[in-house]
Amino acid sequence: MEYLEFELPIKELEDQLQKCAIIGQESDVDVSETCSQIEKKLKDTQKELYKNLTPWQRVQLSRHPDRPYTLDYIKAICGTSFLELHGDRSFKDDKAMLGGLGKIGDQSFMFIGQQKGFNTKTRQYRNFGMANPEGYRKALRLMKSAEKFGIPVVTFLDTPGAYPGLEAEERGQGEAIARNILEMTRLKVPIITVVIGEGASGGALGIGVGDKVFMLENTWYSVISPESCSSILWRSWEYKEQAAESLKLTASDMKKLKLVDGIIKEPLGGAHRNREKTFQSVSDTILKSFEELKKLSPADLVSERMDKYANMGVFKG
């Protein structure tokens, strides 16, 4: 288990607890009372620490190297029923964007999401979760296939942004994202979106137009990352914590601004601390949302989705 800087008090107590248990096993000394005291202190420290997280600390948690990624969620939720589909039928298969058909129980879904890597080799292979235009075109192709067969769409957002390279711009990065936003607003099947990590800029919005949009507790969703915001406003990355505070990018901020529909609770310490519980919470949320959305006709679905996004940012004096 890796620890972030603000989690070091927890690491110290967990190390103490481990040493205490080892002493008890290797000697005749009764350490049960000491261990229980450390356990109590550990629980209290965890509750206190995670109860008062700053926006920047939540950003750090959303990037935790042990945090589950899109493929982890899909495999846990769908088991062996997931069939990955490849390519945009135009340029190539983008490994940063994955998608395919899978089942939760007896219900089929089209799953689409950005995928990051877990070590140097896979991070390069997945382009650090930053999709090229062909990734967004692949996502759109899969959504259109889902619409054709009446299959609901589930998207998982976890990207530091769309790939900003020259070749991506040459192949129409902006157009691909804009096209996806347009087509998603009028897709005639339910779309359920879950932010599972970083939700940065148009890179996330390119697959983020949903009838129901949820954020995991320790994720962020914003037009720009705190570091980039800091470098633009202050010409330095040193003000990233201040930027994170000002951007109102946390799940609770987004819910308060009515930009997302709900927050999915994470286990104490983050999604990586109890993966199974997190997977179950996400699966339950998807099924519950689908039960609500399947009652609507395609025309009502599109109409309500259009109204939802048209009303965002409307200010009444």
Side-chain angles (χ1 to χ4, degrees):
M1 178 69 71
E2 289 195 40
Y3 295 85
L4 300 169
E5 194 178 335
F6 69 87
E7 293 179 306
L8 291 178
I10 291 169
K11 183 183 187 301
E12 286 172 21
L13 287 166
E14 284 182 346
D15 288 345
Q16 283 177 28
L17 189 61
Q18 197 176 357
K19 284 174 188 171
C20 187
I22 291 167
I23 291 166
Q25 287 167 7
E26 292 177 353
S27 67
D28 297 329
V29 182
D30 182 15
V31 293
S32 56
E33 195 180 329
T34 310
C35 284
S36 62
Q37 282 175 353
I38 297 170
E39 271 179 6
K40 186 182 181 303
K41 194 177 178 187
L42 176 61
K43 279 179 185 171
D44 292 343
T45 306
Q46 283 177 322
K47 278 178 187 171
E48 194 59 35
L49 188 72
Y50 294 115
K51 188 175 72 180
N52 301 306
L53 289 176
T54 66
W56 174 245
Q57 287 169 339
R58 290 200 190 276
V59 170
Q60 287 178 292
L61 269 179
S62 76
R63 298 169 175 168
H64 198 289
D66 296 329
R67 198 174 174 87
Y69 297 137
T70 295
L71 210 48
D72 298 317
Y73 282 93
I74 292 172
K75 283 179 178 174
I77 291 168
C78 303
T80 55
S81 73
F82 180 65
L83 173 69
E84 189 175 349
L85 301 169
H86 300 270
D88 70 336
R89 301 291 182 270
S90 179
F91 185 68
K92 69 171 188 179
D93 184 38
D94 189 341
K95 304 299 182 188
M97 184 78 76
L98 62 83
L101 291 161
K103 283 187 170 185
I104 305 178
D106 295 326
Q107 177 60 48
S108 294
F109 291 91
M110 180 67 82
F111 290 93
I112 298 164
Q114 291 104 352
Q115 175 67 23
K116 292 177 176 176
F118 51 87
N119 57 29
T120 305
K121 194 174 179 180
T122 57
R123 281 176 194 135
Q124 287 178 318
Y125 179 71
R126 298 288 181 185
N127 200 32
F128 299 87
M130 295 187 292
N132 277 281
E134 53 272 18
Y136 292 99
R137 290 177 181 133
K138 171 167 77 170
L140 182 57
R141 181 177 77 81
L142 299 185
M143 286 184 229
K144 285 291 189 183
S145 296
E147 182 182 49
K148 184 179 177 182
F149 297 106
I151 297 167
V153 174
V154 174
T155 64
F156 292 120
L157 311 190
D158 187 14
T159 179
Y163 184 59
L166 178 64
E167 60 273 33
E169 297 298 341
E170 286 173 344
R171 292 197 298 277
Q173 184 72 287
E175 188 277 338
I177 291 170
R179 171 73 54 189
N180 275 26
I181 294 170
L182 171 66
E183 296 292 348
M184 285 182 85
T185 56
R186 57 193 188 190
L187 205 72
K188 292 181 177 69
V189 290
I191 306 170
I192 299 158
T193 296
V194 185
V195 183
I196 58 169
E198 298 183 271
S201 193
L205 203 58
I207 58 165
V209 182
D211 299 293
K212 295 281 185 184
V213 180
F214 299 94
M215 290 178 72
L216 281 165
E217 196 179 356
N218 297 310
T219 61
W220 63 276
Y221 201 12
S222 174
V223 72
I224 194 169
S225 71
E227 294 95 330
S228 300
C229 178
S230 172
S231 66
I232 290 169
L233 294 181
W234 290 281
R235 300 280 186 267
S236 164
W237 278 29
E238 285 177 25
Y239 300 91
K240 54 188 180 288
E241 292 179 41
Q242 196 175 327
E245 183 74 46
S246 302
L247 283 165
K248 303 295 178 199
L249 43 64
T250 65
S252 55
D253 288 327
M254 295 294 285
K255 181 79 168 66
K256 208 177 288 177
L257 293 166
K258 296 181 180 172
L259 296 173
V260 299
D261 299 287
I263 300 168
I264 302 172
K265 287 277 294 174
E266 288 186 27
L268 192 65
H272 54 287
R273 286 275 178 170
N274 188 340
R275 287 178 165 227
E276 285 67 36
K277 193 176 176 184
T278 307
F279 297 147
Q280 191 59 54
S281 298
V282 170
S283 178
D284 291 346
T285 302
I286 292 167
L287 286 175
K288 189 182 173 191
S289 299
F290 176 64
E291 287 302 313
E292 291 174 29
L293 295 170
K294 74 176 183 182
K295 295 169 188 169
L296 300 172
S297 68
D300 288 341
L301 202 62
V302 172
S303 174
E304 286 192 18
R305 192 186 304 142
M306 291 250 192
D307 288 345
K308 174 186 174 178
Y309 284 93
N311 288 331
M312 284 182 183
V314 172
F315 177 75
K316 290 172 185 171

